[in-house]
């Protein structure tokens, strides 16, 4: 704003109100409180300086007006920064916290620099508080703000997870819980769903601003977090599955619905995941058309028409149709698996178990859907009834995939007869025992590490320690490592397991205990 015609006193009064308003708003920001609190404190400290200037008669010079104009501009910048982050998703604020801290630090330094310029133009007027002003402007110009170590650790884990393309649900569960706790969001599906919905809006806004790097990064974060249990409302997932099942009934015995031509990208020929439309109306996979344009192409990849404009618009309706098509095929696959599992033929059961694993690896929602569709219970029944060792091994491998990082499926297996069927598998041939101990180890884990109640339940199995010791002393190295980890945990929880392990032929824990004088030989 031009200040030439406005009286100095009016400028100071308006500026003082702006400083107070911004200071109060900064104090009320809910995230990165420490950084914004520092900014707020410094702004409140500026207020008495400005009020002192209002009480004195200032020289109406060009230098004074320029200093005030600079201070006003930087206070407005601070206010814009505060307003920018007040209404943002808390997940987004955590993801961007390093950037936010730098922005707050820079605007604080800029205000300090403006205050220093104002102080120089009014040195005589501010003689009584010159020491206070000097200290304040020096502090502001040299302010150093930092993101908390715990937040940096979360961001480092998240960045590494994206870099490694982590797709397992366990990692998603852990990182989502850490983020939620850091920003004060309950780890409940209803609350997490709200935060992710707000987060998706941030991605859409980044896309509208054509900030492609941020849009891509936010999309990767959303994709990762969406795999977590808490990111899904189980009742909504169940309802969607049942709706899809009703639809596939009209397809009879059909096992696959071919994609519509509109689902296929004209550039790479595959079914699209993130379809975007050109101004010509042609729709392509986003990554494919971006690569097309980056190579210098300026024609429509489908029609050959010259592109006068290359803006891209998300085709949300088509994306939803493609997602529904995929989900209908998932349900057809689950229905096909159930028929093969119930056939009683070993070859068909093997095919079904491999198909189940493919479904769960393709989309983690299928970990819920195979359970809702009854496949986990059916698979457990086969583990108890089949005499084919290859089928038993495939059942154990499939169950491990179904429960890995999935709390609900773990609970289902642990509370079912499957628990009693898994332990005897540890005493079978090497291929079955390896699959069995791997599954058992996964069942004993939860988000925080070992699931203590489940470990106690295993300890109650009379043959469990015997089988584990046998694996420990066997030649299969991987099985022995899993067995040792489980045995050490059981011994840590209950010293009685030391003598049980000794009676099964593993004496080291007992000898260590006797040497240390910490236990006696139980009868």
């Amino acid at each position: 704003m031009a200040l030439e015609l406005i009286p100095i006193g009016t400028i100071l009064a308006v500026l003082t109100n702006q400083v107070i308003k911004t200071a109060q708003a900064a104090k009320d920001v809910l995230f990165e409180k420490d950084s914004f609190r520092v900014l707020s404190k410094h702004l409140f400290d500026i207020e008495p300086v400005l009020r002192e200037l209002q009480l004195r008669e200032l020289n109406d010079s060009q230098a004074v007006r320029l200093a005030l104009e600079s201070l006003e501009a930087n206070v407005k910048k601070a206010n814009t920064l505060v307003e920018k982050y007040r209404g943002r998703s808390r997940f987004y604020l955590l993801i961007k916290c390093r950037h936010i801290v730098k922005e707050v630090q820079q605007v604080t330094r800029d205000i300090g620099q403006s205050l220093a310029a104002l102080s120089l133009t009014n040195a005589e007027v501010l003689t009584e508080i010159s020491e206070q002003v000097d200290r304040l402007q020096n502090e502001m110009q040299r302010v150093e703000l930092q993101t908390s170590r715990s937040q940096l650790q979360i961001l480092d884990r998240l960045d590494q997870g994206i870099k490694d393309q982590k797709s397992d649900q366990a990692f998603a569960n852990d990182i989502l819980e850490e983020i939620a706790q850091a920003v004060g969001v309950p780890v409940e599906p209803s609350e997490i769903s709200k935060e992710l919905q707000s987060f998706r809006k941030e991605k859409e806004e980044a896309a509208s601003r054509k900030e492609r790097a941020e849009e891509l990064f936010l999309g990767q974060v959303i994709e990762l977090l969406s795999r977590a249990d808490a990111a899904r409302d189980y009742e909504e997932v169940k309802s969607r599955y049942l709706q899809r099942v009703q639809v596939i009934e009209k397809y009879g015995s059909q096992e696959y619905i071919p994609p519509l031509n509109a689902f296929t990208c004209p550039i790479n020929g595959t079914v699209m995941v993130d379809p975007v439309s050109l101004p010509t109306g042609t729709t392509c996979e986003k990554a494919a058309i971006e690569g097309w344009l980056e190579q210098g192409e300026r024609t429509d990849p489908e029609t050959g028409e010259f592109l006068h404009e290359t803006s891209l618009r998300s085709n949300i309706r088509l994306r939803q149709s493609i997602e529904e098509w995929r989900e209908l095929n998932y349900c057809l696959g689950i229905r096909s698996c159930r028929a093969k599992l119930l056939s009683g033929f070993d070859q068909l059961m093997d095919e079904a178990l491999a198909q189940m694993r493919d479904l769960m690896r393709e989309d983690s929602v299928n970990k819920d859907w195979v359970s809702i569709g009854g496949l986990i219970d059916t698979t457990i029944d086969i583990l108890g009834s089949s005499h084919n060792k290859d089928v038993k091994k495939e059942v154990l491998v499939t169950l491990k995939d179904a429960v890995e990082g999935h709390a609900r499926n773990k609970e289902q297996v642990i509370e079912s007869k499957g628990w009693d069927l898994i332990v005897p598998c540890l005493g079978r041939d090497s291929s079955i025992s390896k699959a069995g101990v791997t599954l058992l180890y996964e069942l004993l884990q939860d988000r925080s590490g070992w699931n203590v109640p489940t470990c106690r339940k295993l300890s109650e199995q009379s043959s469990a320690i015997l089988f584990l010791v046998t694996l420990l002393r066997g030649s299969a190295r991987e099985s022995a490592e899993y067995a040792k980890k489980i045995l050490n945990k059981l011994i840590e929880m209950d010293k009685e397991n030391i003598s049980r392990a000794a009676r099964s032929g593993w004496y080291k824990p007992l000898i260590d205990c006797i040497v240390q004088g910490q236990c006696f030989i139980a009868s």
Side-chain angles (χ1 to χ4, degrees), residues 189 229 231-240 367-369 371-372 406 408-409 412:
D229 290 333
R232 293 197 180 103
D233 184 319
Y234 181 74
E235 292 304 318
E236 189 276 330
V237 170
K238 183 177 180 180
S239 174
R240 196 163 87 247
K367 288 196 176 188
D368 289 300
W369 284 8
S371 174
I372 296 168
H406 198 290
R408 190 182 295 274
N409 285 356
Q412 181 180 351

Side-chain angles (χ1 to χ4, degrees), residues 195-422:
E195 283 299 316
L196 287 177
Q197 186 176 0
S198 298
F199 204 9
R200 290 187 181 96
K201 289 181 181 177
E202 304 287 358
K203 175 178 175 288
E204 291 170 6
E205 289 178 10
S208 67
R209 296 191 301 267
K210 297 186 178 180
E211 296 174 356
R212 293 185 177 178
E214 175 149 333
E215 180 194 1
L216 174 62
F217 176 67
L218 295 180
Q220 291 172 324
V221 174
I222 291 167
E223 182 182 355
L224 193 159
L225 297 182
S226 296
R227 298 190 186 102
D229 290 333
R232 293 197 180 103
D233 184 319
Y234 181 74
E235 292 304 318
E236 189 276 330
V237 170
K238 183 177 180 180
S239 174
R240 196 163 87 247
Y241 171 76
L242 296 176
Q243 289 171 5
R244 299 289 186 253
V245 166
Q246 287 183 338
V247 174
I248 66 170
E249 288 178 357
K250 68 180 182 182
Y251 289 93
S253 59
Q254 190 172 339
E255 292 189 9
Y256 180 72
I257 305 169
L260 299 176
N261 290 335
F263 293 176
T264 304
C265 174
I267 297 175
N268 59 27
T270 61
V271 175
M272 291 177 279
V273 175
D274 189 4
V276 293
S277 297
L278 289 160
T280 56
T282 295
T283 300
C284 307
E285 177 63 39
K286 185 177 181 181
I289 188 61
E290 286 179 342
W292 175 272
L293 296 173
E294 286 171 3
Q295 292 172 8
E297 296 286 352
R298 286 297 177 270
T299 58
D300 184 304
E302 187 171 52
T303 66
E305 178 183 349
F306 182 78
L307 296 172
H308 297 282
E309 186 183 347
T310 58
S311 60
L312 303 175
R313 178 176 52 84
S314 292
N315 194 327
I316 297 174
R317 184 170 296 179
L318 180 60
R319 183 173 63 197
Q320 291 172 340
S321 297
I322 293 172
E323 287 173 354
E324 181 177 352
W325 166 79
R326 282 197 172 92
E327 290 179 352
L328 290 174
N329 274 315
Y330 294 156
C331 291
L332 285 172
I334 290 171
R335 185 178 71 178
S336 172
C337 286
R338 185 188 305 110
K340 292 174 182 176
L341 289 174
L342 295 174
S343 70
F345 294 104
D346 291 344
Q347 183 177 349
L348 291 178
M349 286 190 284
D350 275 343
E351 289 178 8
L353 293 167
Q355 190 176 357
M356 280 177 63
R357 295 197 295 274
D358 289 340
L359 284 167
M360 291 186 289
R361 289 165 185 168
E362 183 173 346
D363 192 325
S364 58
V365 73
N366 287 320
K367 288 196 176 188
D368 289 300
W369 284 8
V370 297
S371 174
I372 296 168
L375 295 194
I376 289 182
D377 287 337
T378 303
T379 303
I380 290 171
D381 287 340
I382 292 171
L383 182 63
S385 61
S386 177
H387 298 292
N388 185 310
K389 68 176 185 178
D390 291 330
V391 171
K392 280 185 176 292
K393 184 195 77 171
E394 292 302 310
V395 166
L396 293 167
V397 171
T398 304
L399 286 175
K400 194 260 185 179
D401 278 7
V403 304
E404 189 170 19
H406 198 290
R408 190 182 295 274
N409 285 356
K410 282 187 181 182
E411 184 178 354
Q412 181 180 351
V413 173
I414 291 168
E415 297 302 321
S416 71
K417 64 180 181 181
W419 181 255
D420 295 323
L421 294 172
I422 293 168

Side-chain angles (χ1 to χ4, degrees), residues 131-142:
E131 187 177 332
Q132 174 188 344
V133 174
D134 287 344
R135 176 188 56 77
L136 177 57
Q137 58 95 358
N138 277 320
E139 283 181 5
M140 294 186 74
Q141 290 187 77
R142 292 170 173 76

Side-chain angles (χ1 to χ4, degrees), residues 15-74:
L15 183 54
T16 303
N17 288 335
Q18 288 177 340
V19 167
I20 295 172
K21 174 188 173 185
T22 305
Q24 186 61 54
K27 187 180 71 173
D28 294 339
V29 172
L30 296 178
F31 192 76
E32 275 302 335
K33 293 182 180 181
D34 291 343
S35 298
F36 281 105
R37 192 180 293 121
V38 170
L39 173 62
S40 176
K41 177 185 178 301
H42 285 315
L43 289 172
F44 276 127
D45 288 342
I46 290 174
E47 179 201 355
V49 175
L50 297 177
R51 293 204 183 278
E52 183 69 20
L53 289 173
Q54 290 180 57
L55 297 174
R56 308 298 180 91
E57 194 169 320
L58 299 183
N59 294 323
D60 191 348
S61 65
Q62 182 69 13
V64 169
R65 287 182 176 272
L66 286 174
L68 288 173
E69 186 172 2
S70 172
L71 182 58
E72 180 193 42
N74 284 319

